[in-house]
Amino acid sequence: MKSYRKELWFETSCRRELINITPQVAVCLRESGIKDGMLLCNAMHITASVFINDDESGLHQDFEIWLEGLAPEKPYSRYHHNGYEDNADAHLKRTIMGREVVVAVTDGKLDLGPWEQIFYGEFDGKRKKRVLVKIIGG
Ligand code: ZN
């Protein structure tokens, strides 16, 4: 069995941003040489997510509005967590959007559904943060 590990780094210019990382993950899979197995991709920070959904800008606006409705960024004083930090909303957004995805690897390709794309969801950006890609198989 082969094993591959890589960290992808991101630094967004906005506090919140959704980035389609499917191309970078596909490069990892190519580098691994693994043809059949499983790929794990997870955010290494508790204020960011990795999730799978559609790369459609209207939907991305809907995510922003939905998440702001559930856990608005402001006022910062509404959260117990916000004392030295102001990112309680980002922790909550990360929790609902998820930590990781697992994708099957078949014939050396990401075995995704027709509209499935892998996203990095940043909820407290403007600093360097990491995503882990781990692939096992043969
Ligand atoms: Zn925090």
Side-chain angles (χ1 to χ4, degrees):
M1 190 194 76
K2 283 196 247 181
S3 176
Y4 171 96
R5 181 188 188 277
K6 185 150 191 185
E7 292 175 4
L8 304 174
W9 286 85
F10 298 94
E11 185 172 8
T12 60
S13 51
C14 300
R15 180 176 169 109
R16 285 188 292 281
E17 214 167 303
L18 302 183
I19 303 170
N20 185 341
I21 62 169
T22 313
Q24 289 104 303
V25 175
V27 167
C28 291
L29 179 54
R30 230 172 294 138
E31 279 177 10
S32 76
I34 292 168
K35 302 289 175 215
D36 199 76
M38 300 293 271
L39 180 149
L40 166 75
C41 183
N42 67 270
M44 297 179 82
H45 301 264
I46 51 181
T47 53
S49 291
V50 171
F51 63 96
I52 291 179
N53 220 300
D54 194 0
D55 196 357
E56 196 278 308
S57 60
L59 180 65
H60 296 179
Q61 279 177 269
D62 292 334
F63 274 130
E64 166 67 16
I65 293 162
W66 179 61
L67 290 169
E68 272 296 286
L70 289 170
E73 179 188 339
K74 294 171 185 167
Y76 297 123
S77 60
R78 70 181 269 148
Y79 299 104
H80 298 289
H81 178 68
N82 288 343
Y84 297 107
E85 290 190 293
D86 67 359
N87 65 0
D89 70 301
H91 288 279
L92 298 174
K93 286 166 174 135
R94 181 275 167 104
T95 302
I96 204 153
M97 294 304 284
R99 171 183 179 266
E100 77 278 306
V101 299
V102 176
V103 180
V105 174
T106 308
D107 297 327
K109 299 243 159 60
L110 296 168
D111 205 342
L112 293 165
W115 297 102
E116 287 189 325
Q117 295 287 294
I118 306 167
F119 287 90
Y120 176 64
E122 177 61 80
F123 306 116
D124 184 23
K126 300 183 190 174
R127 56 198 169 99
K128 292 186 89 178
K129 288 162 84 170
R130 284 175 293 167
V131 166
L132 177 67
V133 179
K134 179 89 184 189
I135 314 170
I136 54 170

